[in-house]
Structure formats: structure tokens, C-alpha cells
Amino acid sequence: MQNILEIKDLNVGFTISSQLYQVVYDINLSLKKGEVLGIVGESGCGKSVTSMSIINLLPPNGKIISGEILYNGKNLLSCDKKEIQSIRGNKIALIPQDPLTSLNPLYTIGNQIIEVIQLHQKKNKKEAEEIAVEMLEKVQIPDAASRLKDYPHQFSGGMRQRVLIAMALCCNPDILIADEPTTALDVTVQAQIMKLIKDILKKENKSMILITHDLGVIAELADQVAVLYSGKVAEQAQVKDLFNNPMHPYTKGLLNSIPTTKTEKLEPIEGQPPDIFDDIQGCNFNPRCKFVMDKCKTIDPPIKDINGHAVKCHLY
Ligand code: SF4
């Protein structure tokens, strides 16, 4: 199957006090039609920076140093502002993390959805309203037509997240980027939202990039997964492969730190991820790795493909 999105050798940095600090290094990822690519890692690992680079939504001090992001073969990084605006929302849409801060408390839900539709499509108010109702029904909001008149505070957290999913879907995008879509929700509501996303993706054959720190969400929704550590891909594989046969010490650490019914004792990964100012020589995981060898402190390992399972570690 053809790739709908390809990220090639992406390098991104931030300018702080006139100096450029690199935060994402040589990322290579691809997404096929109808597939979910999970990007997992701790806070600050570069997963959100990578996804925001795709739709050109880096903060003002963010800078794409080099690389290509190909959407159906077109390099998004060489698009002008107008072109990228028409792709963002229309072809590639974002489901943000926090439903409370992503919706404007002063406008009704209807106004906010209709505004998004009219921004991207030539629809009059009545036509846009009909689409808005259809989208709210799609995300299973009961009594959708009358709820258009409600304000965000009149919805529960789970319902607000459904509204954001409806907004992302209203221009029928090919790719959804979901940044921690269930993090702000209660556990029971999380399960409902994950089921909803799964059903919509399957029914509409959409592709998704799923950004999360939660391996449970990855196991539930993703087809393939990239584990990021400190701005670099540490491991990448089909989800089943990664869970059945984790190779990178960091991935093993992540899996050992989540409780299962068989867990006798949780084993957290010692230490903290490096920050943007740290200059680590060799493998970036070496200060926390239980298997560290001399060469890990001087030579950054290349990423190796072992039967479709990629790992960046001197042990392989
Ligand atoms: Fe650990 Fe060395 Fe592998 Fe890095 S390269 S993960 S330090 S064993």
C-alpha cells in the first residue's frame, strides 16, 4: 500500500536566547492509508514537535532545520502559507489534547464548528449548520441539532472531546493528528473515546498519527509504533512486534513500568530524560541504560532494520 505521508530526515530546533537548540533528529516515519501510526515517549521527547511540524504549527521560535514531509508526494515544508492553510484542517486535521482550552468558552459549539466549516469550504450558514449536525451525530452526541446552541461549559469533558473530534472530521480530512486525545479524560470516558475513534477510522478508512505517552492507548489504536527518546527514534515496529518483542532498553523500561495483572513489582526507568540544553555524547539513552557499554558513551548507534523491526542500539 502506498504511503499517504512520509517524514524524511526531519531535524527541528528551537531558538532560545539567540541560540538554536536541536530537539528532533533525523526522524524518518511513514503512514499508509487507513493506518494508525503511534508516536510514544515521555514528555519532551519530541513527539508533539514532530507532529506539529507536519502542519506547520510550531511555536514562533521553532525552526525546521532540514528534512521533507511528503503528503501524497507533495513536500509540505516547501508549501507557502496559503497552501499549508488549505491543507491544514482540510486534508490533515488536528484533534487537540485539552478540550477545555481548545474550545472558546464565549461562543456556542455550533458557532465554532460552523466557523471551521466555512473557513475551509464554500458553504452558506445553513449548509454549514447541516454539516455540523451531521458531524455531532457521527460522534454520537445525542440531540445534536439543539446542542449546537450550547456553550462548551454545558458539555462534559468526554462530550467536549467528541466535539473536537467532530470539528476535526468536518472537512473530511485524509489524516487526523491526535495529540494525547484521551489524557484529560476519566478512565471510563477514555475507553469510550478510544472506541469512537477506532470505529470512525475503520468506517471511513482514515489514517491517523497518534501522539501519546500511554502505551495502553497505543495497544488499543495503533498499527505501527515509533518510540521516541530525546528527539530520536529509538525503536519502530508493528504494534504486536513491539509489545511481544521489545528490543531497545528504553522500550523495555517503558513496558516494565506499566502495571499488568502479572506484574509483581513495577520497575521504573531510573533517572530523568535529558533536557534541551544537555549535550550527551554517544547514545542519548546511555546515562539511564542498564546495559550501557563503553562505546555507548562515544558512538551514537545507527538505526538498524531487523526484519521490519527497527532499533537504534549497539546491542543489535
Ligand atoms: Fe543502552 Fe548502549 Fe543500547 Fe544505548 S546503545 S540503549 S546505552 S545498550
Side-chain angles (χ1 to χ4, degrees):
M1 212 188 303
Q2 219 188 339
N3 291 327
I4 190 166
L5 191 85
E6 280 177 84
I7 302 177
K8 290 187 169 177
D9 300 321
L10 182 70
N11 289 281
V12 186
F14 285 102
T15 304
I16 300 170
S17 304
S18 311
Q19 196 170 333
L20 184 67
Y21 293 92
Q22 191 161 349
V23 291
V24 158
Y25 300 80
D26 298 321
I27 300 274
N28 285 286
L29 297 170
S30 59
L31 177 69
K32 291 188 175 17
K33 178 96 184 135
E35 186 184 67
V36 178
L37 165 67
I39 304 182
V40 70
E42 292 162 293
S43 303
C45 70
K47 53 192 191 302
S48 293
V49 173
T50 303
S51 62
M52 291 304 112
S53 301
I54 298 169
I55 43 175
N56 200 0
L57 277 183
L58 287 174
N61 66 336
K63 182 179 173 0
I64 293 179
I65 301 165
S66 60
E68 285 186 329
I69 295 175
L70 303 173
Y71 163 65
N72 281 331
K74 185 181 178 69
N75 186 8
L76 299 181
L77 300 184
S78 54
C79 287
D80 61 27
K81 220 174 160 185
K82 215 172 153 198
E83 277 180 298
I84 196 81
Q85 269 170 358
S86 80
I87 289 171
R88 191 196 304 148
N90 245 338
K91 303 286 181 198
I92 305 176
L94 178 70
I95 304 173
Q97 181 176 143
D98 187 347
L100 199 56
T101 54
S102 304
L103 291 165
N104 189 328
L106 302 176
Y107 291 96
T108 63
I109 292 296
N111 274 335
Q112 296 184 60
I113 304 179
I114 288 165
E115 189 188 349
V116 172
I117 295 166
Q118 290 189 311
L119 189 70
H120 294 286
Q121 299 178 47
K122 286 192 179 84
K123 302 283 179 197
N124 64 34
K125 188 143 185 242
K126 193 166 175 298
E127 290 166 334
E129 201 173 302
E130 281 166 13
I131 297 173
V133 172
E134 193 191 316
M135 291 304 126
L136 288 186
E137 282 169 350
K138 198 178 269 188
V139 296
Q140 296 160 13
I141 290 191
D143 205 7
S146 70
R147 299 236 58 188
L148 283 184
K149 299 179 200 81
D150 288 344
Y151 288 85
H153 74 269
Q154 293 170 285
F155 286 71
S156 66
M159 285 293 172
R160 281 194 291 263
Q161 189 57 284
R162 284 172 195 261
V163 169
L164 291 179
I165 296 170
M167 280 167 113
L169 289 171
C170 63
C171 296
N172 196 21
D174 291 332
I175 301 171
L176 292 163
I177 298 178
D179 190 356
E180 304 274 9
T182 58
T183 301
L185 305 172
D186 293 340
V187 178
T188 48
V189 182
Q190 278 183 10
Q192 292 167 8
I193 296 292
M194 279 198 282
K195 182 170 183 317
L196 175 75
I197 293 175
K198 208 172 172 176
D199 290 348
I200 290 173
L201 292 173
K202 201 171 164 202
K203 207 160 144 191
E204 309 209 357
N205 196 26
K206 293 202 184 300
S207 311
M208 184 161 89
I209 294 182
L210 172 67
I211 313 296
T212 183
H213 67 280
D214 187 337
L215 283 164
V217 175
I218 293 286
E220 188 62 34
L221 290 176
D223 298 297
Q224 57 157 326
V225 56
V227 180
L228 255 62
Y229 184 77
S230 188
K232 296 181 183 177
V233 173
E235 183 163 4
Q236 190 183 357
Q238 293 295 311
V239 164
K240 268 194 190 151
D241 271 2
L242 189 107
F243 279 86
N244 292 338
N245 178 28
M247 294 170 93
H248 196 282
Y250 176 59
T251 314
K252 289 181 182 176
L254 281 181
L255 288 167
N256 287 338
S257 57
I258 47 172
T260 67
T261 46
K262 292 181 194 144
T263 307
E264 287 172 10
K265 195 170 145 231
L266 288 179
E267 283 182 54
I269 305 170
E270 296 293 328
Q272 297 294 323
D275 71 28
I276 188 170
F277 306 111
D278 289 338
D279 180 20
I280 296 173
Q281 301 299 309
C283 168
N284 59 358
F285 190 57
N286 86 67
R288 301 174 78 187
C289 184
K290 284 199 270 187
F291 306 96
V292 62
M293 302 169 275
D294 281 348
K295 68 174 173 183
C296 303
K297 295 180 182 169
T298 52
I299 304 167
D300 192 16
I303 194 144
K304 276 184 204 151
D305 192 306
I306 303 164
N307 302 325
H309 189 143
V311 62
K312 185 181 183 312
C313 172
H314 286 307
L315 291 172
Y316 303 94

